[in-house]
Structure formats: C-alpha cells, structure tokens
Amino acid sequence: MDHAASAWLVVFTRPGGVAMVLEPLSAFSVACNVLQIIELGSKVLNNALDYRKAADGALTEHQDLRNVLQSLRNLNADLRASMPKLGGSNSLSTAENRLLEANAECLRLSNDFIDFLDRLKIKNRHAMLESIRMSIKTLWYKEKMEAMENMLSKARDNLNVAFLVYMNSKQATSTSQSEILRSTTRVEGSILNAVNSSSGSIRDEIRLLAEQLERTSLDATQNQTILQFAVSNRDFLESLSDQLNSILSQHNDVQALTEERQVADAQQKILDSLHFPQVQERRHQIHEAHNETYRWILRPGLDQRRRGDDMVAWLSSKMETRKIYWVCGKPGSGKSTLMRFLDDNISVRDHMFPWAADCTVLKAQWFFWGPGNKLQKSMDGLLRSLLMQLLEQTPNLVPQVVPLGKWRAARTSVNRTIEWTESDLRYSLREYMLSVRKSSKVFLLVDGLDELEGTDEMRDELVDLLTDLASLENVKICLSSRPWNVFSDSFSDIPQLRLEDLTYDDISKYVKSQLRSHKRFQYLLRHDRNNAESLISTITRKAAGVFLWVRLVVRELLKGLRDGDGVRAMWKTLDGIPADLNEYFQRLMDSISPQNRLEASTYLQITLHEERDFVSLHPHRLLDLSFTDEGFPDFVLTKRYKFGGLDLLDREGLKFLIDSTARRLNSRCMGLLECLYEPDDFLIIDDSEISESNEARAPQRDIVLEPSIYPHLFEGRGLLRPFMIKVEFFHRTCRDFLLTPEIQSVLHQYTNGPYDARMFLLNARIAQMMALEAAETGPNLSLGLASYLMSVLSLPSWKDTPSSITAATMIQPVIETLFQNYEFSESSWYIGSSCAGWQEERSSFLTLAIDFDLNGYIMAFMTPEQVRNKRGRPILDYILRPRFAHSPETLNIGNSAPNPELLNRVLEYGANPNDVFEGVSVWALFLSFVADWLAIDGGNAFEKQAYFNAIAILIRHGAASRLPRSWLSGAGDYQFNYDYITSDDISSEVRFLERWRQVRLVMNAEGSRLSEPWYAIVDLLETFAVQFGPGVNDLKALAQDRSKMSNEES
C-alpha cells in the first residue's frame, strides 16, 4: 500500500493477528460532526431576519452560530488531516474510495458554509441602510440556503451509505468486531454499535449494494445505484442519522466538560507557579491595629487640624486624576500597621462609591519585608503576589494575560515547574489591567517601598512601574514608605499624609489601654492619679509619633510593675529611656550581662544571616537555634555527633528543648528577638494529626510563643508543629540597628570575628533531617531541607571543600531513601526538578550531585561501574543537558553548563556519546539542546565556552559524524530541567527547520536503504557560527578529521 493509502487506512495488529481499521472510523465520526454543525447553522439562518438587533454586526440568531464556526473550522482541520492525496486513491478499494469521496464532500460543504456565513455579516451595526440591504440579501440567498439543505441531506446519505458499505467490505466476524470496539474511542464504539444494531434488517441489501459498486466504476452509475439504495431505505437512514446526531451531541458535551476541566487545571498550575510560601508571611506578622486606633483615616473629611489629604475622598472620587495615595512616616511610626488596617477595613460600599459604581472591585496587596528572603524584598515578589491575587479572583483571564509559552506549558506539561522572569510578570500584570479595564476597578495596596532591596535606581524602577499602572483609568494604588528623597521627589504632588503627625490620639489610647489593664497600675490611678495620668501623657508626647518606641517603653514599664515598681520608679525608668530608637537599642545591648554576651551575639548573628546566592524558603526556626550549645558551627561535621539528641518522638524532651531555647533567647537578647508560632500549610500536609476538632482549637497565626499553646504544639500525634516556631526581630528597626558597622564590630568582638552562621545552619539542618528520617515523618519538610542542603553545598566557595564532601556523604543515604519511599511531583524547591524525574530517570545521589555540581563529591566517589551500568538516563546526559541550564545569573548554585573536567572523566570511564536515550543518541540530544539554548537564552561568555569545549571533547571521543533527521527534530531541552522550555505545540518539521536553517543534506532516503535523510556534523556546526564565532571553524576541522579517521578505520 502506498503512502497516500496508509494516510487513510491505518491498520494495527493486536496479539492473535486481528487487524483493526481505525482511521476511517475516526474520520467518519468527524464528518458526522461536521454535518451536524452545518445542519444547526442552517436552521438558525432560516429563522434569521432581524439585523438591527444584532450586538456585534451579525444576526441576532447568529450569535451562537458564530461560536460554532470555530468548532467547525477545527473539525475541518481534523477531517483534512485524515484525507490522503487523491493521487494515491488508485490503490484503495472501491469501498475505501467511496468513503473517501463522502468525506471529501463533507469537507467541501463545510467550507462553502463557512464562506456563506462570512458574507452575511453586517459591517456597521448602526447603519439602517446596511440593515435593510442585508435583509434583502437574505431573501436573495433563500434559494442558496434551500440548495444547501438538499446538499446536506445528500451528503449525510452518502456518508452513511459509504460507511455501511465499507464496514461490509471488512466482513468482520463478531470476534473481530469486539476487537475493533476495544480499540476505538468511546464515541467511535457508540457509532459502531448504532450501525450494527440498526442495519441488521437490511444487511443483505447492503451486501448487494457493495457487490454492485464493485462491479461498476466511480461514475454516475455508482451514484445512481447509491441514490436508489438511499430512496428505498429512507426510514432506516433517517433513523441512523438521528442516532448518530444524539451520540455526537453527547460526545461534544463530554468533550466540553473535559476541556473545561483541563483549562481549570492549567489555570491552577499557573497560579501555583506564581505562589511562594512566604507570599502572605509579612502581612500576618504585622500586629493588628489596637482597638479604637486608626479609625480616623476612614472617616469622611479629615480633621482640619490633621495634616493630610482625605483618604475617603480620594478612594471615592471618580474625577480624581491622581491615582496614587502615599502614606509616609519615620521608622516605627506604624505605617505597616496602618496599611494592614486599610487592607482589612476598606469597604467598597462605604468608601469607594461612586468610583466603583456598577463595577467589580478587584483588590490585591503586598507588604515588602527587608529581613525576609529575596522574594519578600524584590520586584519579583511584588509582581508575583499581585498577579496571583488578581488571577485568583478571575481565573478565566489566565489564558489571556500570561505569555503564550507559559499557558502552553501549563496545558501540555505534567512534571515541570513554570518559572517567571520579571519581564514575564510585568507583561502579564499590565495585560491583566487592560483586560479588566471596562468591567472592573483595581485597588492595589503596597507597603514598605523602602524595604525593596537594591539601589535608588531600582527604587526608581519600582516607582515607574506603580506610576504606569496608576495611569490606567481603572486603577488606584495606596503606597507607604519612609520619607526618603527618592520617594519624596516622586510623590510630592499626590494625595498623602505623614503618619507621625496624626497618631497622637492613637498612641494615647494605646498607652492608657495597656497600663490601665494592669491591676497594679489601677491601684496607682486610685491613689496617685495625677502622677499616673501625667506619666501617660509624657509617654505619648515623648513618643513623637513613633509607635514602636511606645510599645518598647510600655513593655519595659509593665515589666517594672510586675516586679513591684511604683509611680516614682516608673518615672525614673521613663526618664532613663532615650527618645531615639537606635539609642534605645544600644541601651538594650548594654544591659546584656557579660556572661551572656557570647551567646547573645551568636543568636543575633545567626538570625541576621540571609542567603544571597539563592532564595532560601526556610525561616529561622527556633529548632535551628536549639543547637547553639553544641559549641561549634560545624558540630555535626567535625565530631561524632549523636543524631539521636533530637528525638521527635520524645514529646516531653522536645517540649523541654523548645521551652529552654525560647527562655535563653529571651533572656540573652533582651527582647530584640521574639518567637512566633506560625502554622505552615506546607508542613501541615505532612503532619499525621489533622482533624477539624483539633484545628478549631488551634491558635491563630503568628502569635508569640508562650506556655499556653504548648498543649497544641506537643500533645497528640502531630510531630511537625515544633518546626513551625520561627524567630524574628521585634521590628525591622532592630535589624537595621544591628547591621550598622559599629554594632557589627561589637557582635564580632564576642565571637572572635564573624560567626559562621551558614555553617551552623547547614549542620543544624542536617541534624533535623536525620531526626525526621528516624521518626519516619515529614517527607515534604525533608525535601525542603534536602534542597537547602544541596544548594549550600553547591555554592562556588563550598562545592570543592572537604566540608562539602563530608556533608554530602552524610545526607546521601537519607536523600536516596526519601526518594525511594516517596514520589514527589512539582515543588518550588530547587531540588524539585531533580525529584520530579527521579523514578523515570532512575536517578541516584550521584546524579543529584551532578545536577547541583558537587564537584568534590563526584570526583571522590564516582566509579567506572556507576557510569557504565547506569540504567535509564545516561550519566553523560545529566552533564551535557544540565539541570540548571536556564537558571538566572543571580542564582549561584547548580550545574548550568558542562564541566569539562567531569565530562572527560565520565568519557574515560566508558560513557559513549552515541548511546541512545529515549530513542535518540545523547550526542544528537546535546546538539539540539545547544541549538535551542543559543537561540533562546545564549548564556554568558563562560557558559558559551563550556558548551563549545564540550562539543570538541565529544568529537574527540568518537561522537558520530552524521545524524538522522528525526534525531535532530525532537525536543532539545529536557522535560525535567529547571525552567524547562517547552515546545510541545511545534511539529518536528518546524522544529527542525527553525533549529537547522539551510543545513545541507548529506544522504537522502531516496535511492538508498536509509529510512530518512542524514546530515553531517560539520554542516550542523555551521549553524552555531554566529554565537560561537570563528572558533566554529576549529570544531568543523576537528569533526572532519575525526570523520576521515572513522572512514579509514571502517
């Protein structure tokens, strides 16, 4: 059978030799769908006369029909794909030719119908003359429509009869029929059942018809024979058509539901890719406004004596052209608390009318956090959070606003993480605003612009972004920051307020509430009211609008009350407290007793530590700090540490450890640090005790650790709640103070230089990972810890050190056991792409070490047997298509380019570039990967040189001098790589042409025993000339020499 015939008739053979014809059945069901849609359109058009009521320039009844047209076009594409070139039809049987012609008629009829509808569309829906003209035109087309109905009936009869004849020609037995049914889709099986059950009474007539057709040619005689059959069996054919229409209608409904579910899954995948664990962490940390404070800001008409613009007037105004409101204030004045209050209390009905009249209001907020991880203090984090929150409210907009490549990836890829660049996020956020501009208002609230990490130029970019968004007619933005010059200059002429000028009454309410709630102060009010009241007013006045100072002072005075202080002692304490925050913090530092200063300095330096080479999603946990009494930062690596010291199953011992660490932290650091219990949804998934009754008794988020919540933490079966206690600075200003050069010098003095906090955290988290394995709990937490440990060990300054090798050796069995016992899909951890493909690739800790470029460990422990005997993905492929190939330059971990030393070692150990993986040689996969990488990314000079060197090394080690076309047409990137760039929607032909432009064919399949064209490596390398420069000539010369040597050896 020739190529054209095989395109029409696809034959599969099952065990037992039963042949099944699938393709004509699929094409028949598509053709039935085409006719059904045309019939629907014809009925609509027959009733369409009123053009003036059309909303979009088409018939009123035309609305649903226009939606159907796209389906018809898609069906046309499916039908056309199943049709062979007519030139090959001579090799088909009469029955097959008849079915082919019937389908071709359906295709022609559907194309005519689409053209007909397009000619009936009104161009100007407001023009009465146009409406009249098109009304007359409908009458002119009445005969055309009647003729179309006749052709539709004829096409349906031809299609049904042709299929009946075709099925008879197969002479299928009942056994083979059941095999056919098992091999088809559900709808195709329903079609076969309908045909078989309804054609029994005329089976002899069908057989006679088939015999007559075989004896005649494809001409008018055959057509007349079929017409006679159709007339004599009209009732049967109409019944069959009704049954097929019902089957296809139900099938389309199921398809629509399936599509809807797939779209919803893809939307959720996009939302998940934007989410990160700390997306709401800072907001939850901010104390709620004290009762009765800040309410003034949402009352209409700001008091004249208060210096500031009316917030409610700005929110509600339709005429306001200045779309940004700026809340500024000095450090500690309560800006974040006010912004949280606004987020909690702004009401659309009470505060946003008439601006929001007749519109949906979409809200999103972001709280920058300087002490947090990179995402919490970056433009990237802001954009991800805002976009995620807005899309959560309108998920149907996801396909419209995200870059096409991201949406395709969400629809087509299963085990990959979708990564976002800042430009992707900017594009999507602006597209979102434009998409909702007619239907919705958008209100954004952004706190702490001054906490964006970076330079004033980066802050200028932030201001430009927000100003650009606020220029859109449907957007308003409320911002807050310290009054730095970069913000004062940008926001000088917009509505604003300076917070410290407006909070005197709020501070007075807070001080009165806190002090008067204490029984001893109530006594002082009764017996020395004047002094007690004067103390309150003095605190309020001395605060100068700085709420943080008030909180610290009140906390100290309440401690004195508890210890027996009277009014005079409280006055003495107040007089000794500096009004300046930094001076106050210095006073706290000076009050630390000498014997505790080493421990306090250790705690503070560990909590000040942050990773700058990668994003660590782990907060500083109280359990981390519980290991400080081990004495050395590298306590696990340099001595025989007893891992059983942290026993998660010993609840009483764990409670004592947590309580002791919290007490030491509080007493040594004088309140600069605080312990907060923050339930973590990610960890709760791992916890074995989840019940509604338990959660109902659970404390709220971000509460200060105290003995009253110990029952929740340590009772019951849940083992992971102690991991949810984190350590934070009392306020950002505490951290700012401790980072000043003077205080850093003091801290280092007590630890004989800077304390190695990274080394300490590495050791503490190795110990925690071992404890989780021993308790057989927390796989997701263990995965996160593994990701952190591998990331630290892969840092350029670490990966070749003895410490890195020792640590890798320790965690190797734990990680391999974790991945053997649990299957992980996507995750936001850096290790996520490695673990997603672990089973499929048959990976090991060695290959994970290659992914993270742990060069010291690899060179110490890799053996020739591991290289030669590796099943699944070859070790050579891990090196050549590195896991972190598309990672941003700011990420200083992981293998992003082939390591020449490692590559040579693996080849010496027996790796072969011509070995086949997933049906393609490793060498071909690598060249395709490099071609795509150069076209899409290109990397830096170091990476380009690494790939250049890798090509040369592979050629020297016998890489093939020619490769077949199919091997050069597949996906170059690896599906489980970090930020995998998908091209699933591109055909192999298009991919080949885009990748290897103008490459010369070496050996064609025609006239040879080859099944496809082959191409020379020399010519393929020429496509790299632009990116690699003149050095490509050296590669080509090397490839030619190796090819000659190979030919001589042959």
Side-chain angles (χ1 to χ4, degrees), residues 927-946:
L927 288 177
S928 296
F929 172 83
V930 173
D932 294 345
W933 178 77
L934 289 172
I936 298 171
D937 190 341
N940 53 41
F942 168 79
E943 290 174 335
K944 282 185 180 178
Q945 189 62 48

Side-chain angles (χ1 to χ4, degrees), residues 444-550:
L444 304 179
L445 188 145
V446 182
D447 174 58
L449 304 190
D450 51 285
E451 301 199 47
L452 173 74
E453 185 178 51
T455 62
D456 275 353
E457 287 72 20
M458 296 174 69
R459 296 185 183 94
D460 282 331
E461 287 184 20
L462 173 61
V463 170
D464 290 343
L465 167 72
L466 296 170
T467 303
D468 179 57
L469 291 174
S471 68
L472 301 172
E473 62 186 36
N474 62 321
V475 179
K476 286 188 179 182
I477 308 177
C478 180
L479 310 172
S480 78
S481 74
R482 295 178 182 180
W484 291 357
N485 290 340
V486 63
F487 303 122
S488 296
D489 292 345
S490 300
F491 303 141
S492 59
D493 59 348
I494 65 171
Q496 59 189 270
L497 62 79
R498 191 169 65 180
L499 189 55
E500 59 265 27
D501 295 339
L502 303 168
T503 53
Y504 184 92
D505 292 343
D506 291 335
I507 289 175
S508 178
K509 290 176 183 177
Y510 175 79
V511 175
K512 289 177 182 178
S513 172
Q514 293 296 300
L515 292 180
R516 288 176 176 175
S517 65
H518 199 287
K519 289 183 179 181
R520 289 183 56 80
F521 194 79
Q522 293 169 10
Y523 174 85
L524 295 175
L525 280 171
R526 290 195 301 270
H527 292 83
D528 194 355
R529 176 169 292 275
N530 288 339
N531 263 329
E533 293 285 5
S534 180
L535 183 70
I536 292 173
S537 61
T538 301
I539 295 171
T540 304
R541 185 176 63 257
K542 194 173 179 180
V546 181
F547 242 115
L548 173 62
W549 184 88
V550 174

Side-chain angles (χ1 to χ4, degrees), residues 353-450:
F353 275 77
W355 177 64
D358 303 320
C359 286
T360 301
V361 176
L362 305 166
K363 296 181 182 180
Q365 43 74 17
W366 173 247
F367 292 78
F368 280 106
W369 182 223
N373 64 35
K374 278 189 175 183
L375 287 174
Q376 291 176 287
K377 54 188 173 185
S378 68
M379 185 86 80
D380 199 35
L382 163 76
L383 295 168
R384 286 166 72 116
S385 177
L386 294 181
L387 185 59
M388 182 194 74
Q389 292 174 67
L390 293 170
L391 287 175
E392 282 178 337
Q393 298 169 68
T394 53
N396 58 300
L397 293 180
V398 170
Q400 299 177 35
V401 303
V402 304
L404 182 59
K406 306 290 183 193
W407 179 244
R408 286 173 174 168
R411 291 295 307 267
T412 59
S413 301
V414 178
N415 291 311
R416 62 152 296 196
T417 300
I418 298 172
E419 298 295 332
W420 294 83
T421 64
E422 186 178 313
S423 59
D424 290 334
L425 295 165
R426 283 173 175 265
Y427 165 83
S428 297
L429 186 59
R430 184 166 182 82
E431 284 296 304
Y432 182 91
M433 299 302 185
L434 294 174
S435 296
V436 300
R437 67 185 183 279
K438 293 182 178 179
S439 60
S440 304
K441 303 292 187 183
V442 179
F443 178 67
L444 304 179
L445 188 145
V446 182
D447 174 58
L449 304 190
D450 51 285

Side-chain angles (χ1 to χ4, degrees), residues 851 853 882-887 893-898 933 942-943 947:
D851 290 342
D853 201 21
R883 195 77 74 179
F884 289 83
H886 302 296
S887 61
I893 63 169
N895 183 18
S896 61
W933 178 77
F942 168 79
E943 290 174 335
Y947 283 105

Side-chain angles (χ1 to χ4, degrees), residues 641-684:
Y641 174 75
K642 294 181 180 179
F643 285 107
L646 177 61
D647 184 357
L648 299 180
L649 299 177
D650 179 7
R651 311 312 298 281
E652 184 179 3
L654 188 60
K655 176 181 176 181
F656 183 82
L657 175 67
I658 290 293
D659 183 66
S660 299
T661 306
R663 288 173 181 271
R664 289 204 313 273
L665 197 70
N666 186 50
S667 63
R668 273 52 167 180
C669 298
M670 304 304 292
L672 291 171
L673 297 175
E674 62 181 1
C675 301
L676 300 173
Y677 173 64
E678 181 185 14
D680 189 324
D681 295 338
F682 180 73
L683 298 186
I684 288 173

Side-chain angles (χ1 to χ4, degrees), residues 256-270:
L257 289 173
T258 302
E259 171 69 10
E260 185 177 336
R261 184 169 59 251
Q262 290 173 346
V263 167
D265 289 344
Q267 290 168 350
Q268 188 58 50
K269 190 166 189 176
I270 291 292

Side-chain angles (χ1 to χ4, degrees), residues 944-956:
K944 282 185 180 178
Q945 189 62 48
Y947 283 105
F948 181 93
N949 292 340
I951 293 173
I953 291 170
L954 292 172
I955 292 173
R956 292 192 190 99

